[in-house]
Every structure is written in structure tokens, then in C-alpha cells.
Amino acid sequence: MPKPTRNTRISWTTSVLAALAALLAVLAAPPGAAQAAPPGRHAGESRPVYSYDRAVRESVWVEAPTRAGGTDRVAVDVVRPREAAEKGVRVPVIMDASPYYSCCGRGNESQKKTYDAQGKPVQFPLFYDNYFVPRGYAVVLVDLAGTNRSDGCVDVGGRSDVQSAKAVVDWLNGRARAYGSRTGNTPVTADWTTGAVGMIGKSYDGTVANGVAATGVDGLKTIVPIGAISSWYDYYFAKGAALFGSGPDGLASRVESAEARARCQDVQRKLVEGAPRNGDRTPLWSERDYVRDAGNVRASVLAVHGMQDLNVRTKHLGQWWDALAANGVERKIWLSQTGHVDPFDFRRDAWVRTLHRWFDHYLMGYDNGVEREPMADVERAPDQWTTDRVWPPAGTRATTLRPAAGSAEGPGVLGLEPARPGSTAEFTDDPALGENDWAAAIDRSTPAKAGFVTRPLARDLRLSGSSTVRLRVTPSTASAHLSAVLVDLGPATIRDYADDAEGITTLTDRTCWGAGTPGDTGCFLRTEARTARVDHTVFSRGWADLGHWGSGKRTRAVTPGTPYTITLDLAATDHVVPAGHRLALIVAGTDRGLIEPASTTPRLTLDLAATSANLPLVGGYAAFARATKGGARPPVKPAHPYGLGTPRQTRLP
């Protein structure tokens, strides 16, 4: 549910200090030295005044602490402006720490790091180096421990991952040691940087940025997590229901180097033992929960997420965002209609401009006003965006809606009044069906679901934030998985998030972003929205294993014929149900393609009087009452309702 929003503007003291720091940097520079940016109190932006083809390209190995008390050497590839170094001008750092630089690649074209015959870096994946190095930034790409050219072992979001990236921030600020080779003893210092670091990355990379920010490390000024995890338990489980067929050991095997695979068998074993497939919360998951440490975050946050991301679901964004808000962290958010897609591939021009201004402000001290602009950009329809001053918007209230029985042949009713005591609905888990099957059959009584709908809305109704659904269910067997989904019933054109590309089409021509070399051109294939015409849109989902009906931390026995109460957390979203459409809540069993089925296929009886949905409605109770008063004429429904194909969970990256 929405949390109170703190003031996220920079205080006047912060602005003054930034300006003073910038002025001191100017005074400390050698006579005649050209600065990468003017003092932060001046308006403007960083300009491409440095050559890219002459940039310094180097590799260093930073010492990172291990769990056993020793150190590993973490490989770090750096590209930075040569002219700045020659004139003694220090530059800030944009950093992407990733496990994917050799196994899987980054970006829409799966780019990997490449090196010349002497081992010096040639290609840096993505556009950050091409665009930002000429503007006075260094770009630093870190191989997480156990991957590519780094020592150590992959521990999938644990201490090794986070510390191997944090150590690089420490080195950039003079607090850690680095060497010119993996085994040599020649020290290397980062005397070329201001120490101001911004971490960025999609998926696993953005997850590491979240984890490092949660340590409160000094020098990390901002993070840009894109489709990032905030709690690794919630990546693999939804209140005990398994979301994938394997655990973190499978991901570690995929990304670790051949050398690490041979030496890290003990770490692999601990990943298996610490992450039981019954969905219990263990100390392994506690270590990988960054939300609980959100109070340590000192960096600003520019968060980006696809609202139809079925890989890293928006539950991660919602709980992280709420925790950041509760701790007064400066923040901004982009929410797209895509799945697990980088904003460079769904809103390229605006994204590069926004990122440029964001880094200029937080890393170079420009007073460009980016922190005073609307907090949220939300994609309402393909390539159609709106903004909000704060997010969730002012006036958003958690509002309790209740299901009630309808006609025998049709769906139940979703409204403000509770059901009569003793009224029930029944459904039988059918693992062959999923959310789009249920939604397509919403107006028919079918055995695999219990559906509840409003009348056609007289006004638009906006939901913004995270929802919960409280169920009182009686199972016929000793195990059960549950799903709850929110559906917009009405025709729309949306991004085709169920397609393999999750809402984009990759074209054949390229656009260039910054400078380039033969080995790193800075030119990337263009994309455009891939759309679908649908009759319904599932816009928020939540799942649970009924065995986690208690605290949710441990599996508990389920006795057939006994009623249990359990709350499902639905993923954060921002969706407008237009006037004339209907809002539906569907409760069912296994959501095909999105959760693993239970060991049995039970029949479940839903106690309607004890079941409710807590939804973040803009305008709250009054908005719902106005939208459902009188109602509107329903849209003409096609003879055969149509939706997207079966959603599928992909795996990181």
C-alpha cells in the first residue's frame, strides 16, 4: 500500500555545499586546467569536450574482503578522458557491476567485453562510455566476484556480490587497494577521480546497485536500478510458492567462470542448502534482503521498471520504493508498459537526456533542476507518457473492496459492501490454465476460478501502488497454491509484453550515441513498440502457497477441510481503468507459466465475507463510489474475447 511521501528535494545546505565543493575543485586545479563541469551553482550541462578515441583504457584488480577474512581480486575495466588526466582534472564515475560481461552480454544486442592482444579493454557494452566519457566522466565496468576475470565465488546477491562492487567504490575513494594485474604487486591508485560514483544497471546489475546502496558506502552518490531485485527471496518465491524450477545455485552456475566453477563447490552447496524449495525464509534470504537496510541508503535513486515485468516483478520495485520513501531518500521513477526491458530500448531519446541530466546533477553538481521535476513518468499506452509530481499521487488511499456472490451463471460482484455471512465461491486448481484463460472467461461460471467484477465504470479509476488480497479459504487437500489478479475488462492497445521481446521490436537500422571507435562504435539497433489489441489486461498479480498461511516465513501443515486466512501481496502498478471498462478481481489456483503447481490439485472454498482486496485508489473510497455509481454502457464485447498469449517467466539477465 502507498506510504507517506517525504520531501525529496535537495535542501539549500546541500546545494550550497555542492557549489562550494565545485568551486574548491576549480581553485585546486593547476593553472589553465579545463574543468569537466562548471561549479554546480551554474546552469548548463556537461559537454563532449574530450576525445573518445584517445581515452585511457585500463584494467585494475581491486581487493575485496571475503567471508573468511581474506581478500579476492576483482577485475575492473576503466575508460576515462585522457585530456582530463593530463591536465589534472578529476572526473566522476559511472559504474556498472555485473556477472554477465563474459557469459551472457548486456543490452538488447547481448554485448560482451572485448580485449586486445595485450588484454586491454576494447569494447565496453552499452552506450555509457561512448556518450559520457567525452563529457568528462569515467565509466567503470566491474566483473563481480567469480565471473569473467575476477577471483572469488558467485553467491547470487549475497555478501560476495555486494562487497566485490562496494570495494570498487572504496578504491575510487582511496579506501581500498588495487593492482595492475591479477597476481602482481604493483599498486594502482584512482587519483584521477573525484570519488563521486553513480551505479547503474539492469536486472542483476541494478540489483547489485541496490545492495551496495543499502550498505551506505561513502562516495556512492546515486543509483539507477533498472528492473532490479530488492529481495532475492521474492525473486524465487511468492509467499512460499516457487516461481522457478530451480534456486540461486542454477543462476550461479550460469554466470560463474570456469575457474570459479571448479573452486566454488562449497559455495554452490551452501546456496542449495540455504534455499530449500519449500519456500521457507532462511538466513540465506535475510542476507539478500536489501529492503530491510533501506535506512542506510544515502544515494539518490532513479528507478525504472516495466509494469509487466514477469521476470523481476514489480513487487521488488514497490517494496523498495516504499522503504526509500519512508527513509526520505531522493528518488525518481519511470514505469513502462514493457516487460524486462531497458529504457534505452523503449524510450531512447528521452532516456539519454534524463540520464545525462541526472548524472550531471548528482555526480558533477549541476543545478539543472532535475530533482525538482515531476517524480514519476508513467506509460499509459504504447509511447504515451504522463507525469506525476509525486508517486503514488497525492490523494492515493488504500481502499477496501469486497467480493460478493453474483448470479449462478456469471461472475460475482466487486464493490464496497461485504458479502453476506456464509456466502462462498468454489474453484478447483487447474495447472493447465492461467490468468488470461481466467480473464477471457470472466463472464461465465467456470470451475477453475472465482471472478468478481464491478459494473461498467462511469468515470476513470486509477490504481497506483501496491495491493493486497486477504483470502479465507478451505482446501480439499493438504497443499494448495493460490493466485489473485486484477484485470481491466475492456478493449485496449497495449505493449505485447507476452512476446519474446516483451514489448519491443528490434529494427535493422542503427542510431549512434556519443563517439566511437572501430572496436566500440556506440551505434545500436533501433527499436519500436510491439503492440497487441486486447479485450482485457491483467495489470497486477500475486501468489502464495497456502502452507505459508501463518507468518509466511515457514511452511505449516494444511489440513483438508480446515479454513485458513492468508494475504497475497500484489505487485505494484499504475493503471487507469477507463470509464466504460470494468475492474475485476480473480482468485484461482496455479497461474500457468508464472508459478510452479502444488503437489496436489485441490478444490478450494472461498469464504466471501472474510475475503477482501486492499487497493491503492487515487481518490480512495470516494473515487470508487463515484466511478461505480450508475455505471456506463459496457463496451461491445467480441464473440471470442482475446488477450495475449500465456505469460512466461524468463530468467535473469
Side-chain angles (χ1 to χ4, degrees):
M1 61 185 290
K3 298 289 183 70
T5 302
R6 302 277 185 93
N7 181 9
T8 61
R9 296 186 181 184
I10 297 181
S11 66
W12 70 269
T13 53
T14 304
S15 297
V16 170
L17 290 173
L20 180 60
L23 179 60
L24 291 174
V26 172
L27 297 175
Q35 291 300 305
R41 57 189 174 87
H42 294 313
E45 65 179 20
S46 60
R47 304 282 183 168
V49 298
Y50 297 115
S51 62
Y52 179 75
D53 58 345
R54 293 192 65 239
V56 176
R57 291 171 171 80
E58 60 188 340
S59 300
V60 301
W61 277 261
V62 174
E63 282 191 344
T66 67
R67 207 180 289 269
T71 58
D72 289 322
R73 290 195 181 184
V74 175
V76 180
D77 293 316
V78 180
V79 57
R80 53 189 175 89
R82 186 177 299 275
E83 297 93 339
E86 291 172 346
K87 295 176 180 179
V89 177
R90 297 188 176 193
V91 299
V93 171
I94 297 168
M95 174 174 152
D96 188 341
S98 177
Y100 294 131
Y101 287 128
S102 63
C103 77
C104 314
R106 306 310 296 129
N108 191 38
E109 300 175 50
S110 300
Q111 291 182 320
K112 299 179 181 179
K113 287 182 178 179
T114 64
Y115 304 89
D116 64 17
Q118 288 72 47
K120 289 187 177 181
V122 174
Q123 176 175 274
F124 281 62
L126 307 175
F127 74 98
Y128 308 138
D129 56 315
N130 308 92
Y131 188 85
F132 285 105
V133 169
R135 288 170 166 78
Y137 292 83
V139 173
V140 170
L141 304 187
V142 181
D143 295 331
L144 291 183
T147 70
N148 202 16
R149 302 197 297 173
S150 288
D151 295 335
C153 298
V154 177
D155 67 355
V156 188
R159 187 175 187 275
S160 179
D161 276 4
V162 173
Q163 290 298 322
S164 62
K166 177 182 177 293
V168 179
V169 179
D170 285 332
W171 172 66
L172 293 166
N173 283 274
R175 299 187 297 268
R177 292 179 294 187
Y179 301 90
S181 66
R182 191 170 185 174
T183 58
N185 295 314
T186 303
V188 179
T189 60
D191 56 1
W192 43 265
T193 179
T194 63
V197 180
M199 291 186 69
I200 188 171
K202 176 194 165 195
S203 201
Y204 202 136
D205 306 16
T207 301
V208 173
N210 285 344
V212 175
T215 70
V217 61
D218 187 36
L220 183 62
K221 303 300 184 183
T222 191
I223 63 170
V224 185
I226 302 166
I229 293 167
S230 59
S231 167
W232 281 89
Y233 176 88
D234 295 311
Y235 182 71
Y236 286 101
F237 297 97
K239 193 161 282 188
L243 301 173
F244 299 112
S246 65
D249 54 301
L251 181 54
S253 297
R254 183 182 179 194
V255 303
E256 64 188 358
S257 66
E259 295 176 10
R261 191 170 297 112
R263 68 171 176 261
C264 297
Q265 294 180 4
D266 184 57
V267 173
Q268 282 272 14
R269 178 181 57 80
K270 290 178 179 177
L271 288 176
V272 174
E273 294 174 351
R277 297 305 294 160
N278 62 4
D280 284 355
R281 288 184 178 268
T282 63
L284 181 143
W285 300 121
S286 298
E287 179 182 305
R288 292 158 174 80
D289 181 0
Y290 313 133
V291 178
R292 66 175 188 165
D293 294 323
N296 297 330
V297 175
R298 300 161 64 186
S300 63
V301 180
L302 170 53
V304 182
H305 221 106
M307 291 184 286
Q308 295 288 7
D309 190 340
L310 298 176
N311 181 342
V312 181
R313 293 151 303 282
T314 52
K315 183 179 192 300
H316 294 276
L317 173 74
Q319 62 194 10
W320 184 235
W321 183 264
D322 288 348
L324 296 175
N327 287 284
V329 174
E330 294 171 18
R331 63 203 186 280
K332 183 177 175 66
I333 190 170
W334 274 27
L335 293 169
S336 76
Q337 278 198 348
T338 67
H340 199 55
V341 180
D342 192 294
F344 189 72
D345 295 314
F346 62 71
R347 203 187 183 195
R348 187 167 296 182
D349 291 7
W351 175 242
V352 175
R353 289 196 305 270
T354 300
L355 193 63
H356 182 185
R357 297 178 68 241
W358 188 266
F359 282 147
D360 271 4
H361 178 70
Y362 287 103
L363 299 183
M364 283 191 175
Y366 279 98
D367 185 11
N368 57 21
V370 70
E371 83 287 6
R372 297 187 294 274
E373 293 175 354
M375 181 183 286
D377 281 31
V378 181
E379 189 176 25
R380 292 283 163 224
D383 294 324
Q384 297 178 24
W385 293 77
T386 62
T387 63
D388 287 285
R389 194 70 193 161
V390 296
W391 194 86
T396 302
R397 299 287 183 269
T399 305
T400 301
L401 302 186
R402 302 180 184 279
S407 67
E409 298 301 321
V413 176
L414 183 63
L416 296 169
E417 298 300 322
R420 296 192 310 273
S423 58
T424 63
E426 288 191 351
F427 59 92
T428 300
D429 189 0
D430 185 348
L433 301 178
E435 56 190 43
N436 278 310
D437 302 302
W438 308 328
I442 189 63
D443 289 319
R444 304 192 312 274
S445 178
T446 56
K449 70 169 190 327
F452 308 92
V453 301
T454 66
R455 65 179 62 188
L457 302 182
R459 302 186 184 193
D460 292 355
L461 184 65
R462 181 178 176 186
L463 294 86
S464 185
S466 302
S467 304
T468 59
V469 174
R470 182 176 182 268
L471 304 177
R472 181 72 167 172
V473 294
T474 301
S476 64
T477 62
S479 68
H481 283 176
L482 295 164
S483 300
V485 300
L486 296 175
V487 189
D488 177 345
L489 297 172
T493 297
I494 66 172
R495 286 188 183 260
D496 188 0
Y497 64 86
D499 177 73
D500 287 343
E502 301 185 60
I504 63 170
T505 295
T506 301
L507 306 176
T508 57
D509 59 318
R510 295 179 178 271
T511 57
C512 301
W513 296 86
T517 64
D520 193 332
T521 66
C523 301
F524 302 86
L525 293 170
R526 284 199 313 115
T527 64
E528 65 181 15
R530 183 180 181 89
T531 64
R533 183 71 177 167
V534 298
D535 191 50
H536 60 261
T537 305
V538 178
F539 63 88
S540 187
R541 312 156 175 84
W543 309 283
D545 169 40
L546 187 56
H548 285 70
W549 56 269
S551 66
K553 295 183 178 181
R554 292 284 186 274
T555 305
R556 303 179 70 172
V558 172
T559 302
T562 301
Y564 297 95
T565 299
I566 189 167
T567 298
L568 279 61
D569 299 319
L570 273 60
T573 190
D574 195 306
H575 185 85
V576 175
V577 183
H581 289 205
R582 295 174 295 163
L583 171 64
L585 167 67
I586 300 176
V587 180
T590 302
D591 196 345
R592 178 167 62 100
L594 296 179
I595 62 173
E596 298 292 310
S599 58
T600 61
T601 52
R603 183 181 68 259
L604 294 117
T605 301
L606 188 63
D607 181 345
L608 297 182
T611 293
S612 60
N614 223 29
L615 308 186
L617 301 184
V618 178
Y621 177 99
F624 184 84
R626 287 193 300 267
T628 54
K629 183 178 181 180
R633 170 175 284 186
V636 177
K637 293 180 65 62
H640 302 285
Y642 50 96
L644 299 182
T646 300
R648 313 178 296 289
Q649 293 207 29
T650 55
R651 298 295 297 273
L652 289 175

